[in-house]
């Protein structure tokens, strides 16, 4: 009976190992850009499923010590234009990484490893949210060329300054939802046009122009938020 039980346990273990092997093959096959890196675990030497030091085989995990490039971290191509990304692909890569570093997955491994998972998961979240939004994306691209956009950057285009003031005043004076919707559409159109100019400037690697348009986009996003909050739009600050 004992030998029969051992045989039964061995069969279950073999089946479990086959299932894990199948899942590993499936994940490797379906995950985009899976062959773009070859990182191994510093503890057991097994290939890691992501660029992060979190090993699902031996449960070794390390806190991030290096500065990661967000595009490389999320395996999102910069070429031909880093401002143009595939949002669905970005989301899939983000979810794939979180499967291995989410703190809940490491909760049974002790506080140190759980905290390391929190740090890695936070890094992945920050990278994802930065690349997902056009404004933070162009800020990140510019920062890699020593041209960050700060809260103190001011518009230096008198025509645009006048336009921003007029739109804010129009929002304050709007007396119907129809008027507010018309302003929203107008601002949305300006945002799209600005993003196209940023896309073109980045393609040409004209970073000064990309910076000017990024500042413009920052102000237009502020107008967009004010329009969305109508009739509670904040007053103009001129």
């Amino acid at each position: 009976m004992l030998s029969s039980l051992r045989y039964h346990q061995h069969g279950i273990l073999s089946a479990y190992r086959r299932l894990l092997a199948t899942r590993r093959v499936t994940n490797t096959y379906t995950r985009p850009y899976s062959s773009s890196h070859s990182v191994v675990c510093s503890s057991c030497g097994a290939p890691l499923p992501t660029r992060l030091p979190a090993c699902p085989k031996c449960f070794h995990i390390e806190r991030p010590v290096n500065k990661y490039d967000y595009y490389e971290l999320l395996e999102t191509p910069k070429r031909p234009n880093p401002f143009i990304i595939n949002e669905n692909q970005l989301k899939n890569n983000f979810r794939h990484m979180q499967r291995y570093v989410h703190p809940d997955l490491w909760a049974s491994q002790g506080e140190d490893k759980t905290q390391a998972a929190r740090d890695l998961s936070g890094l992945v979240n920050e990278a994802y949210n930065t690349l997902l939004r056009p404004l933070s994306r162009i800020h990140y691209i510019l920062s890699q060329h020593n041209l960050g956009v700060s809260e103190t950057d001011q518009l230096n285009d008198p025509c645009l300054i006048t336009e921003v003031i007029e739109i804010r005043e129009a929002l304050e004076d709007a007396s119907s939802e129809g008027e507010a919707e018309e302003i929203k559409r107008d601002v949305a159109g300006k945002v799209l046009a600005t993003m196209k100019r940023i896309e073109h400037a980045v393609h040409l690697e004209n970073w000064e122009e990309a910076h000017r348009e990024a500042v413009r986009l920052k102000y237009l996003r502020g107008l967009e938020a004010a329009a969305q909050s109508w009739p509670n739009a904040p007053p103009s600050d001129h």
Side-chain angles (χ1 to χ4, degrees):
M1 181 175 179
L2 181 59
S3 61
S4 175
L5 178 60
R6 287 176 177 171
Y7 178 80
H8 179 65
Q9 290 174 334
H10 177 74
I12 293 175
L13 181 59
S14 298
Y16 179 67
R17 285 173 175 168
R18 287 195 300 272
L19 177 61
L20 287 179
T22 301
R23 286 181 176 176
R24 283 196 294 269
V25 170
T26 302
N27 285 341
T28 302
Y29 175 76
T30 58
R31 187 170 66 86
Y33 313 119
S34 60
S35 62
S36 65
H37 67 88
S38 57
V39 184
V40 297
C41 175
S42 62
S43 178
C44 70
L48 295 178
T50 74
R51 293 180 179 274
L52 295 175
C55 180
K57 182 177 180 180
C58 71
F59 291 101
H60 175 75
I61 188 169
E62 302 171 11
R63 294 185 178 184
V65 293
N66 298 320
K67 186 175 179 62
Y68 288 87
D69 180 286
Y70 289 169
Y71 285 88
E72 292 181 0
L73 179 65
L74 289 170
E75 300 191 355
T76 300
K78 289 184 177 181
R79 299 294 180 185
N81 189 325
F83 190 66
I84 303 173
I85 64 169
N86 184 322
E87 291 188 8
N88 289 331
Q89 190 67 74
L90 180 69
K91 184 181 294 184
N92 289 338
N93 291 354
F94 164 74
R95 288 175 174 173
H96 172 80
M97 298 195 77
Q98 286 290 14
R99 290 192 189 105
Y100 296 96
V101 299
H102 195 283
D104 290 350
L105 302 175
W106 295 85
S108 63
Q109 300 298 316
E111 180 56 30
D112 287 346
K113 291 188 176 182
T114 303
Q115 184 57 54
R118 291 192 193 102
D119 293 344
L120 292 177
S121 180
L123 173 64
V124 174
N125 282 330
E126 180 182 348
Y128 174 69
N129 288 321
T130 296
L131 297 186
L132 181 64
R133 301 181 179 92
L135 183 56
S136 56
R137 189 190 315 146
I138 186 57
H139 284 193
Y140 182 72
I141 293 170
L142 289 170
S143 72
Q144 294 186 312
H145 296 274
N146 301 315
L147 281 171
V149 179
S150 69
E151 292 297 325
T152 58
D153 282 334
Q154 300 293 319
L155 291 172
N156 55 12
D157 182 344
C159 293
L160 184 58
I161 293 173
T162 300
E163 189 175 26
V164 168
I165 293 173
E166 289 177 349
I167 292 173
R168 285 196 173 275
E169 290 176 343
L171 280 171
E172 291 176 21
D173 296 339
S175 57
S176 68
E177 187 173 347
E179 291 180 2
E181 286 297 325
E182 184 176 351
I183 295 171
K184 290 178 188 178
R185 287 193 295 269
D186 180 52
V187 173
K190 295 179 187 300
V191 167
L192 288 175
T194 301
M195 288 198 297
K196 291 300 291 184
R197 288 193 294 271
I198 291 174
E199 178 184 320
H200 183 66
V202 171
H203 175 71
L204 296 177
E205 298 187 357
N206 185 341
W207 305 120
E208 292 292 343
E209 179 65 20
H211 180 269
R212 283 192 292 271
E213 293 299 332
V215 174
R216 177 192 295 264
L217 181 61
K218 181 184 71 170
Y219 279 87
L220 289 174
R221 284 300 196 191
L223 289 174
E224 195 171 46
Q228 291 295 334
S229 65
W230 185 91
N232 299 312
S236 58
D237 52 4
H238 65 280

